[in-house]
Amino acid sequence: MSAEHTPPAGDLPAGSGRAPLDRPAYGFPRRWWTFLAEHPPPGAATINRRWRSPLRGPWLTSVYGLALLVGLPLVFLTGLLDYLAYSPQFGQAFPGDVGWLRLPPFDWPTRPSWLFRLTQGLHVGLGITLIPIVLAKLWSVLPKLFDWPPARSVAQVLERLSLLLLVGGILFEIATGLLDIQYAYLFGFDFYTAHYFGAWVFVAALVVHVSLRLGRMRTALRARSLGRELATPRPATRAEPPDPDRLVAARPGPATMSRRGALALVGGLSLLVAALTVGQHFDGPWRRTALLLPRGRQPGTGPTGFPINRTAAAAGVGAADTGPGWRLTLRSGGHSVTVDRPGLLAMAQHTVTLPIACVEGWSTVQTWTGVRLRDLAALVGADGITAAHVRSLEKAGLFRQAALQANQVLDPDSLLALRVNGVDLTLDHGYPARVIVPALPGVHCTKWVTEIEFRGRAGG
Ligand SMILES: Nc1nc2c(c(=O)[nH]1)N[C@H]1C(S)=C(S)[C@@H](COP(=O)(O)O)O[C@H]1N2
Ligand SMILES: [Mo]
């Protein structure tokens, strides 16, 4: 709140101990408000004077707001789907326990095989692409965020609080998301837990914000024609008339840019960001164009030249564990069967072209050859399968094991892969054997498999 809107306080000298604590319309003792109004934090007063762009106003704010109103719910929903793709019913999603935010569990399907590639690609890709629009929207309302005094009534306190959660929430989600896809775990807390709960906080604030502002947004969008704005050059650009929300600057300065220029700038930045990340979903030289995601870019060369999430060295898996002495143990009920790699290669081999889609944003499609998981289940006499537990040679590390749903074990394209693109797996890609299942998050495509335990009715 700027100084002009401060009500006269003459009848109530600030700091006067004798003043009665009257409760006018505001809901707060007026004395508090007077005190606050007279003690603005440094900068709060100047921002209104400095922030003079005539572009700012309900229309531009509403255009950016509309784009986010369409885009952000999609980012939220695909994020929830990514969470569900981890099969939280096995307690292996992050965070494991979400209390009453628990979503109805269901079996993540294996078809279409690109389902997780799509949901995680949209979540990360759209999330990144919307960042310039989020920043532009914040720019357009920035002085409002520094309104002083902070509130005049209880209702306004609640609204300001929802704004704090809204702005803080989106910035937190952007920051944690960006750090995660750069594999920069700088924070001392679990990324997934923070990102998951942060998303719910943001969405709750968004629901409040939208229900309070939707009407005003509609009015603002109707007040000006998009076609007219797109035809208006900079010299003809004028501020909107003063609005009750005071988004329009009190004393607008001259335009340094037209509204169409502002829309083109922000839209162009979004497209640029998208163009510099989309390469992470393509194999071959295109991957190198994903300049904003350097960690997803190491394509290597040859038939095994695709990204490596965690190298064998990093996982502490060496040649000694994976040489001729390596054995795969299959378990079901009380039974167990041990097979070596020649034994696996002597079984029926199947070749499938399937993606690995990493939750950190990149994906790759390769042609894998190996033994069907359901054939391995049959080998140990597993019947009426309800789940399978896959374990890796890797000793530590979050992804050294994974639980698979029944449909993921039984799909004819679900393999324990031994080869990729016609050659043996490399140690970094999981040699001697790794899991490949259609639409399974990359994180559960366990490498260096040493044991598979089938759960369900034990047979033969
Ligand atoms: N044992 C083990 N398997 C693992 C991982 C791991 O860290 N350890 N990382 C997983 C993740 S997060 C992904 S995206 C894929 C990547 O497979 P790639 O490195 O062959 O591309 O492997 C998965 N399998
Ligand atoms: Mo991953």
Side-chain angles (χ1 to χ4, degrees):
M1 171 122 320
S2 61
E4 311 122 64
H5 293 264
T6 308
D11 57 326
L12 196 73
S16 147
R18 284 163 293 124
L21 287 181
D22 63 331
R23 287 173 188 274
Y26 332 111
F28 286 138
R30 181 182 287 191
R31 198 166 54 148
W32 297 2
W33 185 28
T34 310
F35 178 83
L36 276 177
E38 285 172 357
H39 296 81
T46 45
I47 192 142
N48 257 316
R49 260 185 289 120
R50 296 262 171 84
W51 220 255
R52 293 172 61 209
S53 170
L55 269 51
R56 284 201 305 105
W59 187 80
L60 195 65
T61 294
S62 297
V63 173
Y64 293 143
L66 182 62
L68 295 178
L69 186 57
V70 173
L72 287 177
L74 203 53
V75 176
F76 176 67
L77 289 176
T78 49
L80 288 187
L81 286 175
D82 280 5
Y83 175 80
L84 288 168
Y86 273 61
S87 307
Q89 64 269 35
F90 294 135
Q92 62 181 354
F94 302 101
D97 181 12
V98 296
W100 49 268
L101 284 177
R102 200 152 55 91
L103 301 163
F106 65 93
D107 273 1
W108 186 251
T110 55
R111 306 288 152 154
S113 65
W114 40 262
L115 183 63
F116 184 73
R117 200 174 175 224
L118 178 75
T119 56
Q120 70 87 24
L122 266 179
H123 180 68
V124 174
L126 192 59
I128 295 176
T129 302
L130 292 178
I131 292 175
I133 306 178
V134 169
L135 296 180
K137 172 101 190 330
L138 285 180
W139 167 83
S140 77
V141 298
L142 196 71
K144 290 281 295 169
L145 302 181
F146 293 90
D147 258 358
W148 200 264
R152 277 183 294 169
S153 62
V154 173
Q156 225 191 341
V157 167
L158 293 179
E159 197 197 335
R160 293 297 297 266
L161 200 64
S162 81
L163 273 186
L164 192 71
L165 296 179
L166 187 77
V167 175
I170 192 68
L171 294 179
F172 182 79
E173 291 302 281
I174 288 175
T176 49
L178 283 180
L179 287 170
D180 177 68
I181 58 181
Q182 302 293 350
Y183 298 67
Y185 298 103
L186 309 175
F187 18 74
F189 49 82
D190 174 56
F191 157 77
Y192 299 97
T193 305
H195 202 66
Y196 186 87
F197 287 114
W200 281 104
V201 169
F202 168 73
V203 160
L206 183 66
V207 168
V208 172
H209 186 67
V210 168
S211 53
L212 291 174
R213 302 290 164 131
L214 194 64
R216 272 173 277 180
M217 180 176 102
R218 223 185 277 135
T219 312
L221 288 174
R222 291 219 183 100
R224 300 173 86 83
S225 109
L226 179 64
R228 269 261 277 298
E229 289 305 333
L230 294 182
T232 306
R234 183 189 59 80
T237 300
R238 303 276 176 276
E240 291 183 61
D243 63 310
D245 292 315
R246 287 179 306 107
L247 287 172
V248 179
R251 281 174 295 277
T256 51
M257 187 189 274
S258 61
R259 284 189 186 82
R260 74 175 173 202
L263 293 181
L265 178 69
V266 173
L269 277 173
S270 277
L271 289 180
L272 182 70
V273 166
L276 292 180
T277 55
V278 73
Q280 66 174 331
H281 297 290
F282 296 98
D283 293 301
W286 284 109
R287 196 173 294 280
R288 294 189 191 282
T289 64
L291 291 173
L292 294 181
L293 295 149
R295 294 301 295 273
R297 277 169 73 222
Q298 351 104 318
T301 52
T304 58
F306 57 93
I308 296 160
N309 173 278
R310 190 161 202 224
T311 62
V317 175
D321 312 313
T322 55
W326 175 85
R327 295 288 182 278
L328 172 71
T329 305
L330 302 169
R331 292 184 197 280
S332 170
H335 306 256
S336 77
V337 172
T338 312
V339 214
D340 57 8
R341 207 175 125 98
L344 288 170
L345 285 166
M347 292 177 68
Q349 303 291 299
H350 296 273
T351 297
V352 298
T353 299
L354 286 180
I356 287 187
C358 180
V359 78
E360 276 133 8
W362 57 269
S363 65
T364 182
V365 180
Q366 305 297 335
T367 299
W368 314 86
T369 302
V371 181
R372 280 181 176 154
L373 292 180
R374 67 184 194 193
D375 291 352
L376 293 174
L379 196 65
V380 68
D383 203 2
I385 290 168
T386 54
H389 201 123
V390 180
R391 293 187 186 87
S392 170
L393 284 170
E394 191 182 346
K395 304 262 168 351
L398 232 40
F399 308 134
R400 66 183 188 284
Q401 55 180 357
L404 301 178
Q405 307 158 182
N407 62 327
Q408 291 166 338
V409 176
L410 298 175
D411 191 288
D413 282 358
S414 296
L415 302 184
L416 184 69
L418 307 167
R419 296 162 64 78
V420 63
N421 301 320
V423 301
D424 282 346
L425 288 171
T426 56
L427 192 54
D428 283 338
H429 283 304
Y431 182 92
R434 75 168 307 159
V435 166
I436 288 293
V437 168
L440 186 69
V443 76
H444 292 152
C445 296
T446 311
K447 305 195 276 192
W448 316 293
V449 173
T450 183
E451 185 184 303
I452 305 176
E453 184 188 334
F454 297 97
R455 308 257 167 91
R457 202 152 38 84

